Structures are given as C-alpha cells and as structure tokens.
Amino acid sequence: MRSTDHSERTNDSEEVGKSPRRDLAALASSLRQHLSYQAMMGLEWLPPLSVPSTQDLPANLEMIRSDMGECSRCRLHSHRTHIVFGEGNPAARVVLVGEGPGQEEDRLGRPFVGAAGKLLDKIIAAMGWRRNEVYICNVIKCRPPRNRNPQPDEIESCGPFLRRQLDAIRPQAILALGSFAAQFLLSTQQPISKLRNRVHLIEGIPVVPTYHPAYLLRNPLQKRKVWEDVQLLLSLVRGETKRSE
Ligand code: SF4
C-alpha cells in the first residue's frame, strides 16, 4: 500500500508545472474543499496569517499584574489566600479561560492545579502542547467562599483584568472553559450546550466554548464533545498551515 501511495504522489508531483491552468484549477478545488470543511465545522472567521509580535508582551502582563496590586476592588479579597492572576506563555497562540480559583489554586496562587487542572493538563497535551506553551487564567482572580458562583459586581470589578490580559496576549484563539467563562467573554446568557462547538468572535479573536474540566470529572461521557471542540480550536490555529497546502 505504502509504495503504491508513494508512486501516485511521485506521478502527481511530476505533473506539477506542466499545465499551469490545471495546477490553478486543482489549487482552487483544494481551497474550496478546505473552506467547505471549515464552514461545516462552524468557522465564521479565519485567523490572521501573521503570528502576533512577542515584543513587550511580558511587560504588558506584568504591568496589568502590577496595576492589580494587592487588589481589594471587590469583597472576594477578604477570603483569598493568593490572587491567581494566570500563568503560561505571554505570547501564547491559545489562551484557556476558566471561571475562578478553587481551593488548591487559592492555596498555591496558580490556575488549574487541582483535580480539574490535572485533566486540563491532559487536554493541553492532547492538543500537542505543554502547559507552559499556552496561557491559562480565569475570569475572576480570587476564590469565592465555598466555591460559590461569583456575583455580578465581583465580575464587573475583576473582568477588566481578563480583558486586558487577552488584549496583551492577542492569541490566535481562546478556549472558554465552562458556561461562566463563555458567557462572560461573549456577553450572553446562553447555556454552554448552545455555545459550544461553534466559533465566536471577541474583538477579532475567535472563541471556542467547551465544557469545564470540573464538569468532565463528574460527567466523563462528555469528554468526546470536548475533544470535538478542541479539534475545532486546533483547526483555527492550524488554519495558516492548511491554507498554504
Ligand atoms: S476578584 Fe478580582 S477584583 Fe475582586 S479582589 Fe480579587 S483581584 Fe480584585
């Protein structure tokens, strides 16, 4: 089988250039097929060809963290052990956004380090990256007491920090983990089941919502859907490569 495939490819490559018109038609057909596939996957927008400049990005994130300081802008400051600002590559191609810190995150000052974090690490590895190659953060930076949902005024106080983080990184795509992150980023009240497996846009950056890893721990049968969402996100990030084929 393998040698047959090789000979077919060799014959194809030998034909390339002999008929520019036929080459152009083949290229157009290939591009049409690729765009049809992207449309089927729910793509409404193609990412830019250029990778964002990394110049000054670390400084920008540091500046945001510095502006945050020992924040007491909302009542959550009185319960926290550590602010969980976010971590990872300041020039990441993908940012993963969760809801807020849990007990372990609050203790260590790092996002997604509990049981859900371990599952998230596996998802990141399945995407082909190491944890330090992406950027991970949350909508709110301090743990709500007893892991309750953040209140609207708390989100209003903390949300601008996330928006500044995303603006500093300008990733090629965002994976919104759970209904809370998706609804905040997309300014909607739609349930995650309606938002997932689609490409949304915020300020030119594509957002793919999916289920939160903590939800997956309770509902492992939903992992297949998360994998579908991750594939959609990867098709966005790899769009440059595919378009050049
Ligand atoms: S949750 Fe955000 S706004 Fe509230 S105290 Fe923590 S860092 Fe400040």
Side-chain angles (χ1 to χ4, degrees):
M1 281 297 284
R2 195 171 279 181
S3 63
T4 303
D5 289 343
H6 175 72
S7 71
E8 285 173 356
R9 275 199 302 275
T10 304
N11 290 338
D12 287 348
S13 65
E14 284 171 353
E15 291 299 315
V16 171
K18 285 189 176 175
S19 170
R21 186 179 293 224
R22 194 166 56 194
D23 291 348
L24 194 59
L27 186 63
S29 170
S30 168
L31 182 60
R32 205 162 35 239
Q33 284 176 15
H34 174 67
L35 291 174
S36 298
Y37 167 75
Q38 297 285 17
M40 184 183 74
M41 296 296 285
L43 182 72
E44 298 164 3
W45 179 86
L46 290 171
L49 283 169
S50 60
V51 173
S53 166
T54 60
Q55 199 175 18
D56 292 333
L57 285 180
N60 283 343
L61 284 175
E62 284 171 14
M63 198 183 306
I64 299 163
R65 180 65 188 89
S66 171
D67 289 349
M68 181 180 281
E70 284 306 304
C71 184
S72 57
R73 290 169 177 82
C74 81
R75 68 182 72 80
L76 293 180
H77 82 277
S78 59
H79 300 280
R80 73 168 178 242
T81 309
H82 289 107
I83 289 177
V84 182
F85 180 71
E87 66 180 27
N89 181 358
R93 299 170 78 185
V94 171
V95 174
L96 298 93
V97 179
E99 176 178 326
Q103 186 174 23
E104 209 45 22
E105 289 78 13
D106 176 62
R107 188 174 72 83
L108 297 172
R110 297 181 57 207
F112 283 96
V113 289
K118 288 186 173 54
L119 180 53
L120 185 64
D121 287 348
K122 288 181 183 172
I123 294 170
I124 293 168
M127 292 162 77
W129 286 304
R130 291 187 297 269
R131 187 180 164 105
N132 63 3
E133 291 178 298
V134 299
Y135 193 85
I136 307 172
C137 56
N138 288 302
V139 176
I140 56 163
K141 314 302 188 194
C142 301
R143 182 192 179 206
R146 296 177 301 285
N147 290 345
R148 66 156 170 75
N149 286 340
Q151 303 297 308
D153 61 324
E154 295 160 357
I155 299 163
E156 192 178 335
S157 299
C158 208
F161 289 116
L162 172 61
R163 297 209 184 277
R164 287 180 65 190
Q165 285 173 296
L166 296 174
D167 199 40
I169 299 170
R170 295 293 302 176
Q172 284 181 282
I174 297 167
L175 189 64
L177 301 165
S179 58
F180 197 92
Q183 289 173 350
F184 170 76
L185 288 171
L186 304 175
S187 303
T188 179
Q189 290 302 311
Q190 284 194 65
I192 187 72
S193 57
K194 291 272 188 290
L195 296 170
R196 63 162 292 273
N197 207 231
R198 285 166 49 198
V199 180
H200 309 259
L201 278 184
I202 54 163
E203 302 194 8
I205 302 174
V207 179
V208 177
T210 193
Y211 293 116
H212 194 284
Y215 173 79
L216 288 187
L217 291 175
R218 301 190 299 273
N219 301 276
L221 291 179
Q222 301 292 358
K223 284 182 184 173
R224 186 183 56 79
K225 290 182 179 171
V226 171
W227 184 239
E228 289 171 5
D229 300 337
V230 164
Q231 292 297 318
L232 176 57
L233 180 118
L234 289 175
S235 78
L236 289 168
V237 175
R238 291 173 181 159
E240 179 182 353
T241 305
K242 287 186 176 180
R243 272 181 289 165
S244 66
E245 282 176 353

